[in-house]
Amino acid sequence: MGSGASSTERYLLYSARERMFDSKPRDGAEIIESPSWTRTVMFSQRYYADGLQTLSKGFAKINNNTIVRTRTGNGVSDGAKWSRPFRRGKHVFEIVFPRQMRGKHASVGIGLKKAALVSDCNKTLVGSDEHSWGVDLVTKEVCHNKQKIGKFPGILTSLPDRFYMYIDMDVGSLLFGQEDKFFGVALTDEHLVGSVVYPMVSATQMGAAITVVYRGKGKHIDGPIRKKRR
């Protein structure tokens, strides 16, 4: 029998260049190295059908991964949840949310099954109640249970159009980065450990298009990655 990668699972290893901030700090910022599990992920074919499934009436579904806000006006915050919840493990999501489509408030994060999907006012939706935790991509505020619990990221004007959201359910943390940068930990809440959460997004601007793709489970791997034998 020959050896090779499993037909249902594959490992993706980011290059050494993508493991941390650029070698030279910018504006006096401290270099932050990303956790090793954010650089090596395992994907299974059983996740292919996953996507943004539970939507407020203000969103239209383009495909499993992309939604567009169709509600007229910007007086309401509309949200969407991922189809598969997570209780344990480390997970990597890629999000595309262009800055010109974020309006006054646009948020990403995680929420319980009861987390609100719509608000009757223009505000940060993810993190607006006790059932969700989120980051406002416009104001940079970290929110939970109607409270502002921090600012993120500190040295950037805003998260870029395309970024990664890392969910660590083993410690209850939400982290962010890019292929060649790690922005750090946005929040950690020990009450999240053991909870069942869904990745979430929200928008207030008409025409806002958001794409969310599950990249796989983060894995700590020591040494070279060996191909699995069949």
Side-chain angles (χ1 to χ4, degrees):
M1 298 291 292
S3 61
S6 167
S7 62
T8 60
E9 294 181 346
R10 70 175 186 271
Y11 285 105
L12 301 177
L13 182 62
Y14 298 145
S15 69
R17 181 185 62 83
E18 298 169 324
R19 294 187 178 183
M20 57 193 300
F21 273 118
D22 297 336
S23 59
K24 294 182 180 180
R26 298 176 181 176
D27 301 326
E30 181 182 356
I31 296 177
I32 306 174
E33 185 172 4
S34 60
S36 61
W37 63 266
T38 65
R39 306 189 299 265
T40 309
V41 298
M42 182 179 69
F43 186 81
S44 172
Q45 287 183 352
R46 68 177 179 270
Y47 297 116
Y48 279 142
D50 291 357
L52 291 165
Q53 184 178 65
T54 308
L55 317 176
S56 75
K57 293 181 180 180
F59 275 118
K61 191 172 182 177
I62 305 303
N63 54 47
N64 273 356
N65 301 100
T66 301
I67 57 176
V68 174
R69 186 174 184 272
T70 56
R71 190 191 302 272
T72 58
N74 57 4
V76 174
S77 296
D78 290 295
K81 291 179 187 172
W82 194 251
S83 56
R84 184 187 298 270
F86 301 96
R87 184 176 183 180
R88 59 178 63 89
K90 307 173 191 302
H91 306 276
V92 179
F93 283 84
E94 184 174 0
I95 299 177
V96 180
F97 197 154
R99 279 168 282 198
Q100 67 268 27
M101 295 183 176
R102 294 176 184 176
K104 291 185 177 180
H105 293 284
S107 54
V108 298
I110 52 179
L112 307 180
K113 189 174 184 179
K114 294 182 179 180
L117 279 180
V118 65
S119 169
D120 58 0
C121 61
N122 190 318
K123 67 177 184 180
T124 306
L125 181 66
V126 186
S128 65
D129 60 22
E130 62 182 310
H131 306 299
S132 62
W133 296 254
V135 175
D136 191 311
L137 301 178
V138 180
T139 66
K140 299 178 22 177
E141 293 170 346
V142 183
C143 301
H144 170 59
N145 197 16
K146 301 179 181 179
Q147 297 182 356
K148 301 170 185 177
I149 59 177
K151 281 276 191 176
F152 182 86
I155 65 170
L156 299 179
T157 55
S158 63
L159 286 175
D161 293 347
R162 181 189 298 268
F163 57 88
Y164 290 108
M165 181 171 74
Y166 310 109
I167 303 171
D168 188 345
M169 290 306 297
D170 296 330
V171 297
S173 291
L174 197 62
L175 313 84
F176 292 88
Q178 273 185 307
E179 290 183 351
D180 59 348
K181 298 179 181 69
F182 178 61
F183 303 139
V185 179
L187 65 89
T188 298
D189 189 338
E190 61 182 10
H191 295 98
L192 281 169
V193 178
S195 298
V196 177
V197 303
Y198 298 78
M200 292 183 63
V201 296
S202 78
T204 58
Q205 181 170 305
M206 182 180 178
I210 310 169
T211 298
V212 181
V213 179
Y214 181 59
R215 290 305 184 192
K217 294 181 179 180
K219 292 291 183 180
H220 286 295
I221 295 181
D222 295 324
I225 297 176
R226 295 182 179 180
K227 294 182 178 179
K228 295 183 178 180
R229 293 185 178 275
R230 294 180 180 177

